Amino acid sequence: MLEKIHSPADLKKLPAADLPQLARELRERIVAVTAKNGGHVAPNLGVVELTIALHRVFDAPRDSIVFDVSHQCYAHKILTGRGERFDTLRETDGVSGFCSRAESECDAFGCGHAGTALSAALGIAAARDRLGGNEHVVAVVGDAAVTNGATLEALNNVAAHTRRLIVVLNDNAWSIDRNVGAVADYLNRLITTDFYNDATSGLRRLIAKFPCGEHLIRAGSAWKQEKKQVITAGASPLFENFKLRYLGPIDGHDVAQLESYLEFAKKSPRPILLHVRTQKGKGLPVAEEHPDRFHGCAPYDPATGLPAAKRAGTPPPWQDAFGKTLVRLAEKDEKIVGITAAMSAGTGLCFLKKAFPDRYFDVGIAEGHAVIFAAGLAARGLRPCVAIYSSFMQRAADMVMHDVCLQNLNVLFCLDRAGLSPQDGATHHGLFDIAMLRAFPNLVVMQPKDEDELADMMFTAFSRGGPMLIRYPRGAAPGVPAKSVPAALEIGKAEVLREGDGRVCIWSLGAMLPQAEKVSERILEETGARPTLVNARFVKPLDAELLERQAAAGARLFVTLEDHALAGGFGSAVLEALSLRGVGVPVERVGWPDVFIPHGSSSAALRSRFGLDDDDVAARVVSRVRALL
């Protein structure tokens, strides 16, 4: 069937009898490509029938279909002209893993973070109304996104800003971890009540007894409209009180039923919400059993679910080092607690969850709330650790400033994925946290070179108190075991790893140390200068005294290396410190340019493209050294 589909128009021509086969082929294609390239497996397998129904009922790109997060857009991409290129998913110059307006006009809105779809769709609908259009606007919102503040803010405004908007609530009971909180409990009650189950099965049995009853059931016509009134009357005061008509729950894997409800929604004279129930990971047994592991994953074996073989001797990832260290520290300090925004495994807080479940808090996809919640815990004397991906912390910058830093509360922020996140691309690169947060008074910003230094920094944060932030990258850590007893670091003091002749000083931040060492070797080989190598440790406060001493001792060039945007980053902090002290030594900054970095097959591929691989950086720095010596 897939060979016949090059656009949504081709999909509409298929007879209904062919749709189950099409759904199977879509799942097979998604599994085959993600097994090779990695990606968001379980979310995409769960929405195959829903995506088929959406594109059979609506006319993209004229009608706008806005996917929340868009980590469930793979079937959408295949059905909208990108099927032949789908093998390049998440590869350099290949198909993006998320919706992208630059990639296709069928991608009505680009995103990679939760909670954006409803606000964006409402804006598109309001613009349509203002411009006199009559096209349809559909927001496909995950149940996890309903716990997000932006979604609730949008719900509050829907009825005030448009009379025509279709919201599809894709309810699979999971975000990345299993959904938590009152909204999750509420949606679960809607689909598990005896009333709903009895009404559904009872009506189906009753209608089946009539002549052509089975046909009516499959067609989803008159009896379904009657069933809607029975099942949904008063069933969802939550959405009805926001002035959205509520229909459901609906079987998200029955294309005929979905098409019937979507056609009905097109005629609604007021905003309408369809509550669609799906199974995350459907069609791949290991993903059905472990939807959390297969939310987003590296290449894997579809038969076993095991990750593709790792290179022998690869150390555990940074998040595991963080999570295990937090447990060690929590064993000695009962005031330490951990907070995640629906990502216990991804951040490493799963270790605390297992060791001290009563000291572990999952707030759902609500990063802003997580930070203010941590501030409240700290105000009563606890020592909260908030573990969030760097790119997701962008959503809570105001709370970090207003609720933590302004009150100088004892909150530790641990930012995973700080730096490049290659396959996910621009929405997930952690390239802006330093620039975004280092201006906040009272906040200490650190980055370790290895696991041992990470443990020292965490110990320092809990010992000293005040707002503290530690950033570290995605992927395997260097493999340096932590000491049995961590050591407290002197705040704002860098570590001189190797003294040179004083003419060139290389300041490396965190995981950039291996590249700094290679650059240092090339400088010595090609110029004869023996660089001084510094592990910066602290972005704020920066060790400005060491910078000044090195300048006074005859430094001719400072080189800074960071896995961060150059604008406002670590190198900028060094420039500022030198300028404030009246030091005129040139600075060669190595970091990411002032553009949004796209997705790529690997960090190495992207570094090569932007002139940031080891050879390019070394050549550039050597050229600068030769010009100055």
Side-chain angles (χ1 to χ4, degrees), residues 50 54 57-58 138-141 165-171 187 228 232 239 244-250 257-266 268 271-277:
L50 174 59
L54 284 167
V57 172
F58 298 99
V138 184
V140 181
V141 179
L165 179 67
I166 299 168
V167 182
V168 176
L169 176 59
N170 173 34
D171 179 6
L187 294 177
K228 290 181 193 128
T232 66
F239 299 111
L244 276 77
R245 181 174 183 182
Y246 170 91
L247 298 180
I250 303 162
Q257 188 178 142
L258 286 165
E259 288 187 30
S260 175
Y261 276 92
L262 290 169
E263 290 287 358
F264 179 84
K266 289 171 67 172
S268 176
I272 187 169
L273 183 144
L274 306 183
H275 181 181
V276 176
R277 184 68 172 176

Side-chain angles (χ1 to χ4, degrees), residues 440-480:
F440 295 168
N442 295 328
L443 183 65
V444 173
V445 180
M446 302 174 274
Q447 182 164 355
K449 67 180 186 297
D450 55 40
E451 301 95 316
D452 181 51
E453 197 164 63
L454 170 62
D456 289 346
M457 288 180 176
M458 293 173 67
F459 178 75
T460 301
F462 288 125
S463 301
R464 178 185 182 274
M468 308 280 276
L469 183 148
I470 306 172
R471 68 189 304 269
Y472 42 89
R474 179 180 186 175
V480 177

Side-chain angles (χ1 to χ4, degrees), residues 217-228 256-257 260-261:
I217 291 172
R218 294 301 305 166
S221 54
W223 81 274
K224 283 183 178 171
Q225 300 307 323
E226 184 66 21
K227 189 179 76 169
K228 290 181 193 128
Q257 188 178 142
S260 175
Y261 276 92

Side-chain angles (χ1 to χ4, degrees), residues 76-96:
H76 161 76
K77 288 183 178 252
I78 295 170
L79 296 174
T80 54
R82 286 162 280 184
E84 293 182 358
R85 296 183 61 235
F86 190 66
D87 287 345
T88 68
L89 180 74
R90 292 161 43 100
E91 293 182 344
T92 305
D93 295 326
V95 174
S96 169

Side-chain angles (χ1 to χ4, degrees), residues 412-585:
L412 170 60
F413 298 104
C414 287
L415 272 56
D416 196 351
R417 271 65 166 179
L420 209 64
S421 185
Q423 291 87 359
D424 288 328
T427 57
H428 283 63
H429 294 319
L431 301 179
F432 308 107
D433 52 85
I434 293 175
M436 180 175 65
L437 300 171
R438 75 178 175 90
F440 295 168
N442 295 328
L443 183 65
V444 173
V445 180
M446 302 174 274
Q447 182 164 355
K449 67 180 186 297
D450 55 40
E451 301 95 316
D452 181 51
E453 197 164 63
L454 170 62
D456 289 346
M457 288 180 176
M458 293 173 67
F459 178 75
T460 301
F462 288 125
S463 301
R464 178 185 182 274
M468 308 280 276
L469 183 148
I470 306 172
R471 68 189 304 269
Y472 42 89
R474 179 180 186 175
V480 177
K483 300 182 291 290
S484 58
V485 179
L489 302 177
E490 184 177 355
I491 300 297
K493 293 301 178 183
E495 176 189 28
V496 178
L497 297 173
R498 184 165 62 243
E499 288 283 5
D501 58 24
R503 292 180 290 172
V504 179
C505 297
I506 301 177
W507 284 58
S508 168
L509 183 63
M512 298 308 297
L513 181 58
Q515 186 174 83
E517 290 173 332
K518 292 176 182 177
V519 170
S520 177
E521 292 169 3
R522 284 279 295 274
I523 293 173
L524 179 60
E525 290 173 2
E526 299 190 26
T527 71
R530 190 170 64 255
T532 296
L533 185 59
V534 178
N535 169 33
R537 285 181 169 170
F538 293 88
V539 177
K540 182 182 181 183
L542 191 67
D543 195 342
E545 293 182 0
L546 178 59
L547 283 169
E548 188 173 30
R549 288 199 308 271
Q550 290 177 336
R556 304 290 296 277
L557 177 69
F558 285 104
V559 180
T560 65
L561 295 96
E562 60 189 303
D563 192 9
H564 186 277
L566 287 176
F570 168 63
S572 292
V574 170
L575 281 171
E576 293 167 11
L578 292 172
S579 177
L580 286 171
R581 290 177 177 252
V583 177
V585 179

Side-chain angles (χ1 to χ4, degrees), residues 270-419:
R270 64 183 175 107
I272 187 169
L273 183 144
L274 306 183
H275 181 181
V276 176
R277 184 68 172 176
T278 60
Q279 181 180 9
K280 193 169 183 178
K282 184 175 176 61
L284 181 63
V286 290
E288 292 177 357
E289 187 175 353
H290 303 286
D292 52 339
R293 280 173 36 201
F294 283 85
H295 173 82
C297 63
Y300 61 95
D301 179 348
T304 65
L306 296 176
K310 291 184 178 181
R311 189 176 69 253
T314 301
W318 278 96
Q319 70 260 29
D320 285 8
F322 154 75
K324 292 176 180 178
T325 298
L326 186 65
V327 171
R328 287 173 52 204
L329 296 173
E331 289 171 347
K332 298 179 180 180
D333 185 349
E334 63 182 12
K335 292 185 177 181
I336 292 175
V337 297
I339 302 168
T340 180
M343 302 195 68
S344 66
T347 61
L349 276 177
C350 52
F351 296 102
L352 184 73
K353 178 181 179 180
K354 181 178 180 179
F356 300 105
D358 58 331
R359 293 157 65 180
Y360 162 86
F361 298 94
D362 183 348
V363 301
I365 301 179
E367 291 85 0
H369 164 64
V371 173
I372 305 174
F373 176 62
L377 293 170
R380 293 296 292 174
L382 295 184
R383 292 193 175 277
C385 175
V386 184
I388 295 177
Y389 287 6
S390 169
S391 61
F392 299 163
M393 181 58 85
Q394 294 163 186
R395 323 185 108 210
D398 173 68
M399 293 78 182
V400 174
M401 188 284 290
H402 179 272
D403 300 287
V404 176
C405 294
L406 185 62
Q407 302 183 89
N408 202 29
L409 291 169
N410 299 334
V411 178
L412 170 60
F413 298 104
C414 287
L415 272 56
D416 196 351
R417 271 65 166 179

Side-chain angles (χ1 to χ4, degrees), residues 7-30:
S7 70
D10 296 328
L11 176 62
K12 295 175 189 291
K13 297 175 184 177
L14 284 183
D18 287 346
L19 298 181
Q21 175 65 21
L22 175 64
R24 285 193 294 272
E25 290 185 15
L26 280 167
R27 286 193 169 92
E28 289 169 359
R29 187 78 187 282
I30 290 170

